[in-house]
Amino acid sequence: MRIEVVTLFPAMVEGALRYGIVSRALARGLLSVGTEDPRTYTTDVHGTVDDRPYGGGPGMVMKPGPLVAAIRAAHARLPQGSPRVYLSAQGEPFTQARARELAQLPGLLLVAGRYEGVDERVIESAIDAELSVGDYVVSGGELPALTVIDALTRLLPGALGDERSSEEDSFTQGLLDWPHYTRPEVFEGRGVPPVLLSGNHADIRRWRLAQAVERTAARRPGMLEALRGQPDVARDVARAVDECRPAGAGADEDRGRKT
Ligand code: 9D3
């Protein structure tokens, strides 16, 4: 898969790609990432990429000229039809389902904004989709773009050393993870759940699934409700979900309380 990132901070993007699974995917040729800096396309001596908002108000807006020039240059290096995605707090949620769709593509263009955002006409004329990474404010689109790259890379065939890791993801798809333990067997007086030392792999599997369901019920009740309504959930997962009390029926804030 080929990805281009349009950014005022290409070194920030390139720097983050030098680590871990993404770095290895680049080295293996499973992924390639290029960057394009809109400042390259400025014509004034100061390299101006932003300007004051029409209508007034605080903050600056990215000028359309240099940004659209950078988008077109980067897009020309990608396979025909590669979608142009603008990372923005106003975008649709970036989810694992969206990651799976995007990871199928041969090419993807990501546009990272800075300042208060980009001139709306850039979105109208040079953007196909807008994505948000969550309901909080970050300072620009670079970390969101890197989040998207990271999530997609994990889904590229051969990117994970141990291919079980992504199958395991599907075992508990739609659930939070279970708790993990490693040596020592006792750490600061805290032991390891005995079932994990039992060697009984069926018991271990059941315990992990129950833990994942309980955590999901406590921390993300909406996720569990979404799973209940799904037809194609693995049988053992469906059973574990059924066996868990419905969200709100008693647990957590009441647990251990004397009436
Ligand atoms: C007037 C309010 N503005 C700042 C408090 C709005 C605003 C402008 C620019 C909010 C965020 C940003 C920069 N954010 C992104 O570029 C961004 C983002 C995000 O902030 N949250 C979640 N996903 C994304 S994707 C890109």
Side-chain angles (χ1 to χ4, degrees), residues 171 178 195 200-210 234 236:
F171 166 58
W178 55 74
V195 63
N200 184 329
H201 294 290
D203 279 357
I204 291 169
R205 191 180 158 84
R206 273 191 294 273
W207 180 85
R208 284 178 169 165
L209 186 51
D236 48 355

Side-chain angles (χ1 to χ4, degrees), residues 58 86-91 111-117 131-145:
Y86 172 47
L87 286 310
S88 120
Q90 284 71 49
V111 179
R114 280 275 151 175
Y115 316 109
E116 284 306 300
L131 291 179
S132 163
V133 295
D135 292 339
Y136 43 82
V137 178
V138 297
S139 304
E142 284 78 12
L143 291 173

Side-chain angles (χ1 to χ4, degrees), residues 172-186:
T172 51
Q173 203 188 96
L175 291 173
L176 299 181
D177 210 356
W178 55 74
H180 301 277
Y181 297 87
T182 186
R183 293 187 297 178
E185 204 175 308
V186 178

Side-chain angles (χ1 to χ4, degrees), residues 35-118:
T35 57
E36 192 69 53
D37 184 348
R39 208 177 295 279
T40 312
Y41 298 90
T42 57
T43 50
D44 65 318
V45 288
H46 306 288
T48 307
V49 291
D50 63 332
D51 206 341
R52 295 177 307 178
Y54 276 121
M60 299 292 272
V61 174
M62 284 182 82
K63 291 168 68 65
L67 184 54
V68 165
I71 290 171
R72 297 213 168 118
H75 199 235
R77 293 196 292 266
L78 291 169
Q80 287 284 330
S82 297
R84 300 161 295 182
V85 172
Y86 172 47
L87 286 310
S88 120
Q90 284 71 49
E92 291 175 24
F94 178 64
T95 60
Q96 190 66 21
R98 185 57 75 97
R100 276 185 227 111
E101 292 172 13
L102 294 178
Q104 306 299 313
L105 297 170
L108 177 65
L109 178 70
L110 298 174
V111 179
R114 280 275 151 175
Y115 316 109
E116 284 306 300
V118 309

Side-chain angles (χ1 to χ4, degrees), residues 118-163:
V118 309
D119 187 300
E120 190 67 17
R121 293 164 296 183
V122 174
I123 300 170
E124 292 167 5
S125 70
I127 292 297
D128 302 304
E130 246 177 292
L131 291 179
S132 163
V133 295
D135 292 339
Y136 43 82
V137 178
V138 297
S139 304
E142 284 78 12
L143 291 173
L146 286 163
T147 298
V148 170
I149 292 170
D150 190 286
L152 301 196
T153 301
R154 303 176 52 77
L155 298 172
L156 300 178
L160 300 182
D162 182 355
E163 286 305 313

